Amino acid sequence: MRLEHSQSSSKIGARILIIEDESTIAELLRTGLTYEGFRVSVVSGGEEGLECADKEDFDLVILDLMLPDIDGFEICRRLRLRGNDIPIIMLTARREIPDRIKGLNMGADDYVTKPFSFEELVARIRAVLRRRGSAAEPTQLSAADITLDLEAHEAYKGGKPLELTPTEFALLELFLRHPRRVFTRETLLNRIWGLDYEGDRNVVDVHISNLRRKLGDRERRLIRTIYGIGYSFRPD
Ligand code: CA
């Protein structure tokens, strides 16, 4: 079993600075990203954020567009002006999408619109870190005879390509990053479908069932059902 990445990433996890004035979002991100092995700092103001980004050695900034003092564009502009090329992911509200181009022109690496699923944000963070060549981000995950190529977004079992939907891929990636962890349906819903998902709760079971079929996991040994709780990936 080769899963050094998930273990080592907790030791050498990338340092992330969150500049966000909405405390509920900031705390959600702090908790979630810390769990994912990142080292997280949170500030609520633009000026304070600029100071932090200049003084300390972060690997990535998550920057809210609308802040009480100076906005995200201005922070981006000032950082780049000072020659600071730290990767930046901008958080914007949906109504601010036309500003997207402006944000990217201002030097942001990517942007995520609120409301977002946590998994989507984590995927963007990892992609940006990989693009910037961060050693903390593997380009491949493997467990049992399953391999995910995260850059090409391809999955293999026993060397043979798997045809996965984006949702199945996201589920499998989550499982490979956290072998043996028991995920409740609620956690999977929140992480893959997003906090604002209001559809059928059975959607998780349907996708797990499809994923098992594609993995040839007829006996449900790889993806175990933990009765009354949820699911757990057991590659051993
Ligand atoms: Ca805000």
Side-chain angles (χ1 to χ4, degrees), residues 19-22 25 44 64-68 91 96 114:
I19 309 176
E20 165 67 87
D21 61 314
E22 280 170 71
I25 294 182
S44 57
D64 184 33
L65 177 59
M66 299 303 283
L67 293 162
L91 297 180
E96 297 158 355
K114 297 176 187 174

